Amino acid sequence: MSGLFGVISSTDCTQHLFYGTDYHSHLGTEVAGLAVLGDHFQHRIHSIANTQFKSRFADEMRKMVGASGIGVISDSNPQPFLVSSRIGDFALATAGLITNIDELAGELLDSGHSFAEFAFGRINPTELVAKIISCGSSIVDGIEKVFEKIEGSVSMLVLTREGIYAARDFHGRTPLVIGSSGNAWAVASESCAFPNLGYKVVKYLKPGEIIQLTSSGPRSQNKDGRACQICSFLWIYTGYPASSYEGVSVETVRERCGALLARKDTVEADLAAGVPDSGTGHAVGYAMQSRLPLRRPLVKYTSGYGRSYTPPSQETRDLVAKMKLIPIRDIIDGKKIILCEDSIVRGTQLKNLTIQKLWDNGATEVHMRAACPPLMFPCKFALSTRSLSELAARRAIRDLEGSDVSDVSSYTDPKSPDFKTMVEWIRKDLNVTSLDYLTIDEIVEAIGLPRESLCTHCWLGD
Ligand code: SF4
């Protein structure tokens, strides 16, 4: 994933740019970058794989001066990208996933363009977007061309001498929000970047909307009205608890998810807990609804580990994950535990590094509750981190059917016998006493937006 932040003001903006970008650190662990426009463009990109954004960029920021700037935290590619083109100089940062990148790159190469960068052995998607924008008659026309051509989703910030252009992807899968503070204006992927910097939410961009942000405020550059398909998973897992999208708070949705899990539960337990940190909001909602005590049988030891600390090998990563979560035997021993988690992706870390610690410390029952249905499809629009074969639900289906199957519709219907058989397979695999999931209808109820405005591809492949 990636997170974007931009700011424009009548005075120097760099302190707000620094902290505003840092508030997107949960969205990426590989690369971060900043571009600032003063007398000229200044631009820094660094790896954050082994260090936090704050410590990596603190010295750099003191050398950058300007009234407007953009920042990005990314899992995928070095950016912002600086471009000098016939429609002007600009810096570009993008968030999203382009699934037809090879086809589009081929078209550009055939027409005489070349690419300067390979990110992780591939064409840098931000450079590709920059090339398409440069083919337009203006920045706005270039962004419209990007929306026409790409499959997947791209939201972006374009820093120019005429202000910052903010564009939300065509189907609105990744959000962008505008905030104001006196003479300063900001745009962010996550609204949690605003309160401590003194910004108030002014507007959520609509799908495909392009806004030009100057120190006088935002001006819409195109007609909106496209259908929204915002990512539901933002509320379930990827978004930050203190953010809101489309005016709907992440933390309150997580509490409603937990309450819905509790509402249909018949299990008698001693306590409710969340898998730290992603299951915490769901567990709060579960405890409020069920009136079970909310307790912390597992706590996360993060001191000494940077938030973005990514050890070099898988073996070391597993070891670090194991070391971070510490069980508290006094709370676990002899207890029947409801354990809430946002979702079950692969299930291996959950089983080996979380659930097993509860058994090892004397739990008598562990009831796993997931705040969304079994994940069935990799994301084609925003997250590039899961593959079909590693999903726990797909492993179950492969084992039950004897091979991979293309039509999984009977496994996505929570009332079908196949769904129940699959859940039982995953329950045994996770080694828990019982396992239950929220349904799509319940997720939609928890988010509170019309179903047709939400992307549910993760679960239904629709
Ligand atoms: S497929 Fe899943 S993660 Fe991707 S945009 Fe849709 S809901 Fe979000």
PDB file of all heavy atoms in Angstrom, residues 15-48:
ATOM      1  N   GLN A  15       7.376  21.588   8.273  1.00  0.00           N
ATOM      2  CA  GLN A  15       7.108  20.859   9.514  1.00  0.00           C
ATOM      3  C   GLN A  15       5.799  20.064   9.406  1.00  0.00           C
ATOM      4  O   GLN A  15       5.733  18.890   9.792  1.00  0.00           O
ATOM      5  CB  GLN A  15       7.042  21.820  10.700  1.00  0.00           C
ATOM      6  CG  GLN A  15       7.087  21.064  12.016  1.00  0.00           C
ATOM      7  CD  GLN A  15       6.933  21.986  13.216  1.00  0.00           C
ATOM      8  OE1 GLN A  15       5.991  22.753  13.306  1.00  0.00           O
ATOM      9  NE2 GLN A  15       7.877  21.893  14.127  1.00  0.00           N
ATOM     10  N   HIS A  16       4.772  20.685   8.839  1.00  0.00           N
ATOM     11  CA  HIS A  16       3.505  19.974   8.664  1.00  0.00           C
ATOM     12  C   HIS A  16       3.663  18.813   7.682  1.00  0.00           C
ATOM     13  O   HIS A  16       3.091  17.741   7.869  1.00  0.00           O
ATOM     14  CB  HIS A  16       2.422  20.935   8.172  1.00  0.00           C
ATOM     15  CG  HIS A  16       1.885  21.805   9.273  1.00  0.00           C
ATOM     16  ND1 HIS A  16       0.721  22.509   9.167  1.00  0.00           N
ATOM     17  CD2 HIS A  16       2.358  22.065  10.517  1.00  0.00           C
ATOM     18  CE1 HIS A  16       0.488  23.175  10.289  1.00  0.00           C
ATOM     19  NE2 HIS A  16       1.486  22.929  11.110  1.00  0.00           N
ATOM     20  N   LEU A  17       4.478  19.020   6.650  1.00  0.00           N
ATOM     21  CA  LEU A  17       4.693  17.946   5.673  1.00  0.00           C
ATOM     22  C   LEU A  17       5.359  16.746   6.344  1.00  0.00           C
ATOM     23  O   LEU A  17       4.971  15.592   6.116  1.00  0.00           O
ATOM     24  CB  LEU A  17       5.563  18.460   4.516  1.00  0.00           C
ATOM     25  CG  LEU A  17       5.879  17.435   3.428  1.00  0.00           C
ATOM     26  CD1 LEU A  17       4.608  16.984   2.714  1.00  0.00           C
ATOM     27  CD2 LEU A  17       6.869  18.006   2.413  1.00  0.00           C
ATOM     28  N   PHE A  18       6.326  17.037   7.195  1.00  0.00           N
ATOM     29  CA  PHE A  18       7.067  15.979   7.885  1.00  0.00           C
ATOM     30  C   PHE A  18       6.134  15.143   8.776  1.00  0.00           C
ATOM     31  O   PHE A  18       6.062  13.924   8.661  1.00  0.00           O
ATOM     32  CB  PHE A  18       8.178  16.632   8.715  1.00  0.00           C
ATOM     33  CG  PHE A  18       8.975  15.690   9.557  1.00  0.00           C
ATOM     34  CD1 PHE A  18       9.857  14.800   8.972  1.00  0.00           C
ATOM     35  CD2 PHE A  18       8.857  15.705  10.943  1.00  0.00           C
ATOM     36  CE1 PHE A  18      10.614  13.937   9.752  1.00  0.00           C
ATOM     37  CE2 PHE A  18       9.602  14.845  11.729  1.00  0.00           C
ATOM     38  CZ  PHE A  18      10.486  13.955  11.127  1.00  0.00           C
ATOM     39  N   TYR A  19       5.389  15.820   9.641  1.00  0.00           N
ATOM     40  CA  TYR A  19       4.526  15.065  10.567  1.00  0.00           C
ATOM     41  C   TYR A  19       3.315  14.463   9.847  1.00  0.00           C
ATOM     42  O   TYR A  19       2.882  13.351  10.167  1.00  0.00           O
ATOM     43  CB  TYR A  19       4.080  15.956  11.729  1.00  0.00           C
ATOM     44  CG  TYR A  19       5.199  16.201  12.712  1.00  0.00           C
ATOM     45  CD1 TYR A  19       5.855  17.422  12.773  1.00  0.00           C
ATOM     46  CD2 TYR A  19       5.644  15.183  13.543  1.00  0.00           C
ATOM     47  CE1 TYR A  19       6.899  17.637  13.647  1.00  0.00           C
ATOM     48  CE2 TYR A  19       6.695  15.383  14.435  1.00  0.00           C
ATOM     49  CZ  TYR A  19       7.320  16.603  14.473  1.00  0.00           C
ATOM     50  OH  TYR A  19       8.369  16.802  15.329  1.00  0.00           O
ATOM     51  N   GLY A  20       2.777  15.190   8.881  1.00  0.00           N
ATOM     52  CA  GLY A  20       1.610  14.673   8.146  1.00  0.00           C
ATOM     53  C   GLY A  20       1.960  13.403   7.383  1.00  0.00           C
ATOM     54  O   GLY A  20       1.195  12.436   7.364  1.00  0.00           O
ATOM     55  N   THR A  21       3.138  13.389   6.766  1.00  0.00           N
ATOM     56  CA  THR A  21       3.574  12.182   6.051  1.00  0.00           C
ATOM     57  C   THR A  21       3.827  11.056   7.047  1.00  0.00           C
ATOM     58  O   THR A  21       3.440   9.896   6.818  1.00  0.00           O
ATOM     59  CB  THR A  21       4.850  12.480   5.227  1.00  0.00           C
ATOM     60  OG1 THR A  21       4.581  13.577   4.355  1.00  0.00           O
ATOM     61  CG2 THR A  21       5.276  11.269   4.409  1.00  0.00           C
ATOM     62  N   ASP A  22       4.446  11.406   8.164  1.00  0.00           N
ATOM     63  CA  ASP A  22       4.745  10.374   9.173  1.00  0.00           C
ATOM     64  C   ASP A  22       3.473   9.664   9.661  1.00  0.00           C
ATOM     65  O   ASP A  22       3.514   8.478   9.975  1.00  0.00           O
ATOM     66  CB  ASP A  22       5.484  11.010  10.354  1.00  0.00           C
ATOM     67  CG  ASP A  22       5.890   9.968  11.378  1.00  0.00           C
ATOM     68  OD1 ASP A  22       6.546   8.986  10.977  1.00  0.00           O
ATOM     69  OD2 ASP A  22       5.530  10.119  12.564  1.00  0.00           O
ATOM     70  N   TYR A  23       2.347  10.382   9.714  1.00  0.00           N
ATOM     71  CA  TYR A  23       1.097   9.767  10.155  1.00  0.00           C
ATOM     72  C   TYR A  23       0.559   8.741   9.141  1.00  0.00           C
ATOM     73  O   TYR A  23      -0.511   8.179   9.350  1.00  0.00           O
ATOM     74  CB  TYR A  23       0.034  10.830  10.415  1.00  0.00           C
ATOM     75  CG  TYR A  23       0.133  11.466  11.786  1.00  0.00           C
ATOM     76  CD1 TYR A  23       0.239  12.849  11.930  1.00  0.00           C
ATOM     77  CD2 TYR A  23       0.104  10.690  12.949  1.00  0.00           C
ATOM     78  CE1 TYR A  23       0.322  13.440  13.187  1.00  0.00           C
ATOM     79  CE2 TYR A  23       0.193  11.277  14.202  1.00  0.00           C
ATOM     80  CZ  TYR A  23       0.299  12.636  14.316  1.00  0.00           C
ATOM     81  OH  TYR A  23       0.383  13.208  15.557  1.00  0.00           O
ATOM     82  N   HIS A  24       1.290   8.489   8.066  1.00  0.00           N
ATOM     83  CA  HIS A  24       0.900   7.443   7.110  1.00  0.00           C
ATOM     84  C   HIS A  24       1.858   6.246   7.186  1.00  0.00           C
ATOM     85  O   HIS A  24       1.823   5.367   6.324  1.00  0.00           O
ATOM     86  CB  HIS A  24       0.875   8.020   5.689  1.00  0.00           C
ATOM     87  CG  HIS A  24      -0.229   9.014   5.485  1.00  0.00           C
ATOM     88  ND1 HIS A  24      -0.171  10.304   5.983  1.00  0.00           N
ATOM     89  CD2 HIS A  24      -1.437   8.891   4.889  1.00  0.00           C
ATOM     90  CE1 HIS A  24      -1.289  10.935   5.670  1.00  0.00           C
ATOM     91  NE2 HIS A  24      -2.082  10.098   5.022  1.00  0.00           N
ATOM     92  N   SER A  25       2.693   6.212   8.221  1.00  0.00           N
ATOM     93  CA  SER A  25       3.724   5.172   8.302  1.00  0.00           C
ATOM     94  C   SER A  25       3.162   3.759   8.395  1.00  0.00           C
ATOM     95  O   SER A  25       3.854   2.788   8.060  1.00  0.00           O
ATOM     96  CB  SER A  25       4.652   5.426   9.499  1.00  0.00           C
ATOM     97  OG  SER A  25       5.378   6.612   9.309  1.00  0.00           O
ATOM     98  N   HIS A  26       1.920   3.605   8.853  1.00  0.00           N
ATOM     99  CA  HIS A  26       1.327   2.262   8.943  1.00  0.00           C
ATOM    100  C   HIS A  26       0.984   1.704   7.564  1.00  0.00           C
ATOM    101  O   HIS A  26       0.633   0.535   7.458  1.00  0.00           O
ATOM    102  CB  HIS A  26       0.058   2.309   9.807  1.00  0.00           C
ATOM    103  CG  HIS A  26      -0.966   3.268   9.280  1.00  0.00           C
ATOM    104  ND1 HIS A  26      -0.810   4.629   9.372  1.00  0.00           N
ATOM    105  CD2 HIS A  26      -2.138   3.061   8.633  1.00  0.00           C
ATOM    106  CE1 HIS A  26      -1.852   5.233   8.813  1.00  0.00           C
ATOM    107  NE2 HIS A  26      -2.671   4.307   8.353  1.00  0.00           N
ATOM    108  N   LEU A  27       1.063   2.532   6.507  1.00  0.00           N
ATOM    109  CA  LEU A  27       0.641   2.075   5.177  1.00  0.00           C
ATOM    110  C   LEU A  27       1.792   1.560   4.316  1.00  0.00           C
ATOM    111  O   LEU A  27       1.569   1.124   3.190  1.00  0.00           O
ATOM    112  CB  LEU A  27      -0.083   3.209   4.433  1.00  0.00           C
ATOM    113  CG  LEU A  27      -1.430   3.621   5.034  1.00  0.00           C
ATOM    114  CD1 LEU A  27      -2.017   4.800   4.267  1.00  0.00           C
ATOM    115  CD2 LEU A  27      -2.414   2.461   5.013  1.00  0.00           C
ATOM    116  N   GLY A  28       3.017   1.618   4.821  1.00  0.00           N
ATOM    117  CA  GLY A  28       4.120   1.132   4.005  1.00  0.00           C
ATOM    118  C   GLY A  28       5.362   0.929   4.836  1.00  0.00           C
ATOM    119  O   GLY A  28       5.562   1.609   5.839  1.00  0.00           O
ATOM    120  N   THR A  29       6.191  -0.006   4.403  1.00  0.00           N
ATOM    121  CA  THR A  29       7.386  -0.313   5.185  1.00  0.00           C
ATOM    122  C   THR A  29       8.669  -0.279   4.342  1.00  0.00           C
ATOM    123  O   THR A  29       9.733  -0.612   4.838  1.00  0.00           O
ATOM    124  CB  THR A  29       7.278  -1.726   5.803  1.00  0.00           C
ATOM    125  OG1 THR A  29       7.046  -2.654   4.747  1.00  0.00           O
ATOM    126  CG2 THR A  29       6.166  -1.811   6.815  1.00  0.00           C
ATOM    127  N   GLU A  30       8.561   0.112   3.081  1.00  0.00           N
ATOM    128  CA  GLU A  30       9.734  -0.010   2.214  1.00  0.00           C
ATOM    129  C   GLU A  30      10.428   1.323   1.910  1.00  0.00           C
ATOM    130  O   GLU A  30      11.618   1.458   2.126  1.00  0.00           O
ATOM    131  CB  GLU A  30       9.334  -0.674   0.876  1.00  0.00           C
ATOM    132  CG  GLU A  30       8.894  -2.127   1.014  1.00  0.00           C
ATOM    133  CD  GLU A  30      10.035  -3.038   1.434  1.00  0.00           C
ATOM    134  OE1 GLU A  30      11.207  -2.688   1.207  1.00  0.00           O
ATOM    135  OE2 GLU A  30       9.749  -4.088   2.028  1.00  0.00           O
ATOM    136  N   VAL A  31       9.663   2.279   1.373  1.00  0.00           N
ATOM    137  CA  VAL A  31      10.265   3.511   0.871  1.00  0.00           C
ATOM    138  C   VAL A  31       9.434   4.712   1.299  1.00  0.00           C
ATOM    139  O   VAL A  31       8.211   4.610   1.400  1.00  0.00           O
ATOM    140  CB  VAL A  31      10.293   3.530  -0.680  1.00  0.00           C
ATOM    141  CG1 VAL A  31      11.323   4.525  -1.193  1.00  0.00           C
ATOM    142  CG2 VAL A  31      10.533   2.186  -1.269  1.00  0.00           C
ATOM    143  N   ALA A  32      10.097   5.845   1.534  1.00  0.00           N
ATOM    144  CA  ALA A  32       9.370   7.086   1.794  1.00  0.00           C
ATOM    145  C   ALA A  32      10.041   8.200   1.006  1.00  0.00           C
ATOM    146  O   ALA A  32      11.229   8.111   0.673  1.00  0.00           O
ATOM    147  CB  ALA A  32       9.375   7.416   3.287  1.00  0.00           C
ATOM    148  N   GLY A  33       9.270   9.241   0.721  1.00  0.00           N
ATOM    149  CA  GLY A  33       9.851  10.349  -0.037  1.00  0.00           C
ATOM    150  C   GLY A  33       9.096  11.637   0.194  1.00  0.00           C
ATOM    151  O   GLY A  33       7.923  11.630   0.579  1.00  0.00           O
ATOM    152  N   LEU A  34       9.808  12.738  -0.022  1.00  0.00           N
ATOM    153  CA  LEU A  34       9.225  14.069   0.128  1.00  0.00           C
ATOM    154  C   LEU A  34       9.661  14.920  -1.063  1.00  0.00           C
ATOM    155  O   LEU A  34      10.788  14.761  -1.556  1.00  0.00           O
ATOM    156  CB  LEU A  34       9.746  14.743   1.404  1.00  0.00           C
ATOM    157  CG  LEU A  34       9.475  14.055   2.736  1.00  0.00           C
ATOM    158  CD1 LEU A  34      10.279  14.743   3.839  1.00  0.00           C
ATOM    159  CD2 LEU A  34       7.990  14.084   3.070  1.00  0.00           C
ATOM    160  N   ALA A  35       8.784  15.810  -1.489  1.00  0.00           N
ATOM    161  CA  ALA A  35       9.164  16.825  -2.483  1.00  0.00           C
ATOM    162  C   ALA A  35       8.602  18.146  -1.993  1.00  0.00           C
ATOM    163  O   ALA A  35       7.446  18.225  -1.577  1.00  0.00           O
ATOM    164  CB  ALA A  35       8.597  16.480  -3.851  1.00  0.00           C
ATOM    165  N   VAL A  36       9.446  19.181  -2.014  1.00  0.00           N
ATOM    166  CA  VAL A  36       9.040  20.504  -1.534  1.00  0.00           C
ATOM    167  C   VAL A  36       9.332  21.509  -2.642  1.00  0.00           C
ATOM    168  O   VAL A  36      10.357  21.409  -3.330  1.00  0.00           O
ATOM    169  CB  VAL A  36       9.823  20.876  -0.245  1.00  0.00           C
ATOM    170  CG1 VAL A  36       9.541  22.307   0.162  1.00  0.00           C
ATOM    171  CG2 VAL A  36       9.458  19.926   0.888  1.00  0.00           C
ATOM    172  N   LEU A  37       8.424  22.475  -2.795  1.00  0.00           N
ATOM    173  CA  LEU A  37       8.626  23.509  -3.805  1.00  0.00           C
ATOM    174  C   LEU A  37       8.844  24.861  -3.125  1.00  0.00           C
ATOM    175  O   LEU A  37       7.934  25.391  -2.472  1.00  0.00           O
ATOM    176  CB  LEU A  37       7.408  23.568  -4.743  1.00  0.00           C
ATOM    177  CG  LEU A  37       7.481  24.575  -5.890  1.00  0.00           C
ATOM    178  CD1 LEU A  37       8.731  24.389  -6.739  1.00  0.00           C
ATOM    179  CD2 LEU A  37       6.237  24.468  -6.756  1.00  0.00           C
ATOM    180  N   GLY A  38      10.073  25.356  -3.226  1.00  0.00           N
ATOM    181  CA  GLY A  38      10.390  26.717  -2.766  1.00  0.00           C
ATOM    182  C   GLY A  38      10.775  27.512  -4.005  1.00  0.00           C
ATOM    183  O   GLY A  38       9.986  27.622  -4.943  1.00  0.00           O
ATOM    184  N   ASP A  39      12.018  28.005  -4.046  1.00  0.00           N
ATOM    185  CA  ASP A  39      12.505  28.634  -5.282  1.00  0.00           C
ATOM    186  C   ASP A  39      12.601  27.601  -6.391  1.00  0.00           C
ATOM    187  O   ASP A  39      12.490  27.900  -7.568  1.00  0.00           O
ATOM    188  CB  ASP A  39      13.909  29.229  -5.059  1.00  0.00           C
ATOM    189  CG  ASP A  39      13.854  30.364  -4.045  1.00  0.00           C
ATOM    190  OD1 ASP A  39      12.759  30.928  -3.886  1.00  0.00           O
ATOM    191  OD2 ASP A  39      14.892  30.640  -3.417  1.00  0.00           O
ATOM    192  N   HIS A  40      12.879  26.379  -5.985  1.00  0.00           N
ATOM    193  CA  HIS A  40      12.986  25.281  -6.941  1.00  0.00           C
ATOM    194  C   HIS A  40      12.486  24.004  -6.249  1.00  0.00           C
ATOM    195  O   HIS A  40      12.211  24.007  -5.045  1.00  0.00           O
ATOM    196  CB  HIS A  40      14.442  25.119  -7.410  1.00  0.00           C
ATOM    197  CG  HIS A  40      15.388  24.884  -6.267  1.00  0.00           C
ATOM    198  ND1 HIS A  40      15.864  25.911  -5.479  1.00  0.00           N
ATOM    199  CD2 HIS A  40      15.910  23.747  -5.757  1.00  0.00           C
ATOM    200  CE1 HIS A  40      16.657  25.415  -4.545  1.00  0.00           C
ATOM    201  NE2 HIS A  40      16.691  24.094  -4.680  1.00  0.00           N
ATOM    202  N   PHE A  41      12.374  22.907  -6.996  1.00  0.00           N
ATOM    203  CA  PHE A  41      11.933  21.628  -6.418  1.00  0.00           C
ATOM    204  C   PHE A  41      13.080  20.996  -5.620  1.00  0.00           C
ATOM    205  O   PHE A  41      14.215  20.937  -6.100  1.00  0.00           O
ATOM    206  CB  PHE A  41      11.521  20.656  -7.529  1.00  0.00           C
ATOM    207  CG  PHE A  41      10.167  20.930  -8.120  1.00  0.00           C
ATOM    208  CD1 PHE A  41      10.025  21.743  -9.244  1.00  0.00           C
ATOM    209  CD2 PHE A  41       9.018  20.376  -7.566  1.00  0.00           C
ATOM    210  CE1 PHE A  41       8.782  22.002  -9.797  1.00  0.00           C
ATOM    211  CE2 PHE A  41       7.764  20.622  -8.108  1.00  0.00           C
ATOM    212  CZ  PHE A  41       7.648  21.438  -9.230  1.00  0.00           C
ATOM    213  N   GLN A  42      12.781  20.553  -4.406  1.00  0.00           N
ATOM    214  CA  GLN A  42      13.738  19.753  -3.623  1.00  0.00           C
ATOM    215  C   GLN A  42      13.074  18.413  -3.349  1.00  0.00           C
ATOM    216  O   GLN A  42      11.861  18.364  -3.165  1.00  0.00           O
ATOM    217  CB  GLN A  42      14.048  20.433  -2.295  1.00  0.00           C
ATOM    218  CG  GLN A  42      14.579  21.833  -2.436  1.00  0.00           C
ATOM    219  CD  GLN A  42      14.199  22.680  -1.242  1.00  0.00           C
ATOM    220  OE1 GLN A  42      14.787  22.535  -0.194  1.00  0.00           O
ATOM    221  NE2 GLN A  42      13.203  23.537  -1.409  1.00  0.00           N
ATOM    222  N   HIS A  43      13.899  17.382  -3.205  1.00  0.00           N
ATOM    223  CA  HIS A  43      13.323  16.068  -3.347  1.00  0.00           C
ATOM    224  C   HIS A  43      14.210  15.047  -2.632  1.00  0.00           C
ATOM    225  O   HIS A  43      15.425  15.087  -2.790  1.00  0.00           O
ATOM    226  CB  HIS A  43      13.289  15.878  -4.883  1.00  0.00           C
ATOM    227  CG  HIS A  43      13.093  14.533  -5.405  1.00  0.00           C
ATOM    228  ND1 HIS A  43      14.013  13.918  -6.206  1.00  0.00           N
ATOM    229  CD2 HIS A  43      12.067  13.690  -5.285  1.00  0.00           C
ATOM    230  CE1 HIS A  43      13.549  12.751  -6.566  1.00  0.00           C
ATOM    231  NE2 HIS A  43      12.378  12.587  -6.020  1.00  0.00           N
ATOM    232  N   ARG A  44      13.628  14.230  -1.780  1.00  0.00           N
ATOM    233  CA  ARG A  44      14.401  13.198  -1.065  1.00  0.00           C
ATOM    234  C   ARG A  44      13.623  11.889  -1.056  1.00  0.00           C
ATOM    235  O   ARG A  44      12.429  11.895  -0.784  1.00  0.00           O
ATOM    236  CB  ARG A  44      14.640  13.586   0.398  1.00  0.00           C
ATOM    237  CG  ARG A  44      15.333  14.900   0.628  1.00  0.00           C
ATOM    238  CD  ARG A  44      16.853  14.793   0.435  1.00  0.00           C
ATOM    239  NE  ARG A  44      17.497  16.006   0.886  1.00  0.00           N
ATOM    240  CZ  ARG A  44      17.580  17.133   0.183  1.00  0.00           C
ATOM    241  NH1 ARG A  44      17.050  17.194  -1.022  1.00  0.00           N
ATOM    242  NH2 ARG A  44      18.207  18.202   0.675  1.00  0.00           N
ATOM    243  N   ILE A  45      14.332  10.787  -1.290  1.00  0.00           N
ATOM    244  CA  ILE A  45      13.708   9.460  -1.207  1.00  0.00           C
ATOM    245  C   ILE A  45      14.658   8.558  -0.420  1.00  0.00           C
ATOM    246  O   ILE A  45      15.869   8.569  -0.684  1.00  0.00           O
ATOM    247  CB  ILE A  45      13.489   8.843  -2.607  1.00  0.00           C
ATOM    248  CG1 ILE A  45      12.559   9.721  -3.456  1.00  0.00           C
ATOM    249  CG2 ILE A  45      12.886   7.436  -2.495  1.00  0.00           C
ATOM    250  CD1 ILE A  45      12.441   9.274  -4.899  1.00  0.00           C
ATOM    251  N   HIS A  46      14.120   7.802   0.532  1.00  0.00           N
ATOM    252  CA  HIS A  46      14.974   6.885   1.294  1.00  0.00           C
ATOM    253  C   HIS A  46      14.255   5.572   1.567  1.00  0.00           C
ATOM    254  O   HIS A  46      13.021   5.542   1.699  1.00  0.00           O
ATOM    255  CB  HIS A  46      15.351   7.491   2.651  1.00  0.00           C
ATOM    256  CG  HIS A  46      16.260   8.664   2.533  1.00  0.00           C
ATOM    257  ND1 HIS A  46      17.513   8.586   1.988  1.00  0.00           N
ATOM    258  CD2 HIS A  46      16.076   9.961   2.887  1.00  0.00           C
ATOM    259  CE1 HIS A  46      18.074   9.785   2.016  1.00  0.00           C
ATOM    260  NE2 HIS A  46      17.219  10.635   2.556  1.00  0.00           N
ATOM    261  N   SER A  47      15.029   4.534   1.753  1.00  0.00           N
ATOM    262  CA  SER A  47      14.467   3.274   2.241  1.00  0.00           C
ATOM    263  C   SER A  47      14.098   3.446   3.715  1.00  0.00           C
ATOM    264  O   SER A  47      14.844   4.075   4.480  1.00  0.00           O
ATOM    265  CB  SER A  47      15.510   2.162   2.112  1.00  0.00           C
ATOM    266  OG  SER A  47      15.116   1.063   2.901  1.00  0.00           O
ATOM    267  N   ILE A  48      12.937   2.915   4.096  1.00  0.00           N
ATOM    268  CA  ILE A  48      12.579   2.914   5.519  1.00  0.00           C
ATOM    269  C   ILE A  48      12.435   1.466   6.009  1.00  0.00           C
ATOM    270  O   ILE A  48      11.778   1.203   7.008  1.00  0.00           O
ATOM    271  CB  ILE A  48      11.289   3.722   5.804  1.00  0.00           C
ATOM    272  CG1 ILE A  48      10.156   3.304   4.853  1.00  0.00           C
ATOM    273  CG2 ILE A  48      11.551   5.211   5.719  1.00  0.00           C
ATOM    274  CD1 ILE A  48       8.792   3.823   5.269  1.00  0.00           C
TER     275      ILE A  48
END
